[in-house]
Amino acid sequence: MADLPLLGVPAASSPPPPPTTPPRPPADRAARWTLLALSAAALALLTWRGYGLSRYSTRPVTLDRDAVPLGPMDLNQAGAAELASIPGVGETLAQRIVLHRQAHGDFRSVEELRHVKGFGEKTLERMRPFLRVGTYTEAAPPAPAPMSKGPAATKKPPPAGKIDVNRAGAAELQKLPGIGPTLAARIVEQRKQRPFGAVEELRKVKGIGPKTLDAIRPHVTVGDGREP
């Protein structure tokens, strides 16, 4: 016979089911994906920014116009951004320097910047303290080479004694200051027509002006014109 429940004792009930997590609404999932996408984009931007500032980047660097180079830079090694940081040099002139270097080879001196379009004397002097070529700093412009203007520009020691312009040969006449082969030959031809009666008559020779005559006057004499 089945057991009957005792009177006054409640029957045992089954345990309640565990609570279930309600499903997230669609709006919550969309917000999480948006946040993840923004984080990824921010990380990518930071990575790109760091690469752009590194030495491996080929992007142009933003220039600080108030910055001044701490020391002379090598004209044949500096890039356009470095050259543009020199006071008075902008991006246009800096690019012209680089293009000229690529087309014509390395600069041999800072003075050769005069061959670049846009560089005058003032611009060159303003840049000179900030530039060097190799290990040499161009502190001052090189001295110009003396230009020869013919025999008169050639320095030579004066003759040991006075030379008779009516008797000396062409080789001896060339010992006079300012007299070269051409003028010596003209002196000989002139005296063949008529011997010189005075040193002043050397002015009749083409090419002998007052300055040349004054230079040779202390070293010449006029004889009787007879050949030795």
Side-chain angles (χ1 to χ4, degrees):
M1 190 173 173
D3 295 335
L4 296 177
L6 299 176
L7 295 178
V9 178
S13 60
S14 60
T20 58
T21 304
R24 295 182 179 273
D28 191 13
R29 289 197 298 270
R32 292 180 61 192
W33 281 111
T34 301
L35 181 59
L36 288 174
L38 291 176
S39 300
L43 180 61
L45 289 175
L46 290 174
T47 303
W48 178 254
R49 175 62 176 171
Y51 174 78
L53 295 177
S54 69
R55 62 188 181 95
Y56 301 102
S57 174
T58 57
R59 296 170 59 247
V61 180
T62 303
L63 300 177
D64 185 359
R65 296 298 181 185
D66 297 328
V68 177
L70 297 179
M73 63 183 68
D74 191 338
L75 182 57
N76 292 321
Q77 298 294 330
E82 294 176 282
L83 293 168
S85 67
I86 298 175
V89 179
E91 296 180 5
T92 301
L93 289 181
Q95 287 291 344
R96 288 178 184 173
I97 294 174
V98 174
L99 292 176
H100 187 278
R101 192 172 64 200
Q102 293 172 351
H104 303 283
D106 288 350
F107 292 95
R108 293 173 295 179
S109 66
V110 176
E111 198 71 25
E112 289 188 1
L113 282 174
R114 293 294 301 274
H115 300 310
V116 180
K117 182 180 179 182
F119 278 88
E121 189 65 29
K122 292 184 179 179
T123 304
L124 181 61
E125 292 306 314
R126 191 163 53 242
M127 292 183 63
R128 194 184 296 277
F130 303 100
L131 293 174
R132 60 182 173 85
V133 174
T135 58
Y136 300 98
T137 302
E138 291 274 340
M147 297 180 62
S148 176
K149 296 182 180 179
T154 304
K155 293 184 178 181
K156 51 188 175 184
K162 289 194 174 185
I163 296 176
D164 188 343
V165 292
N166 283 329
R167 297 168 63 89
E172 190 176 3
L173 290 170
Q174 291 181 48
K175 296 178 182 179
L176 296 170
I179 303 298
T182 301
L183 287 181
R186 289 176 182 174
I187 292 173
V188 173
E189 289 298 321
Q190 182 68 32
R191 80 184 185 206
K192 285 181 180 180
Q193 301 176 15
R194 182 179 179 180
F196 297 103
V199 176
E200 290 294 332
E201 293 184 6
L202 286 171
R203 288 291 307 278
K204 297 178 181 179
V205 179
K206 183 180 179 181
I208 297 182
K211 291 184 178 180
T212 304
L213 182 60
D214 289 342
I216 66 177
R217 189 190 302 276
H219 309 290
V220 297
T221 185
V222 176
D224 55 12
R226 290 180 297 180
E227 294 295 333

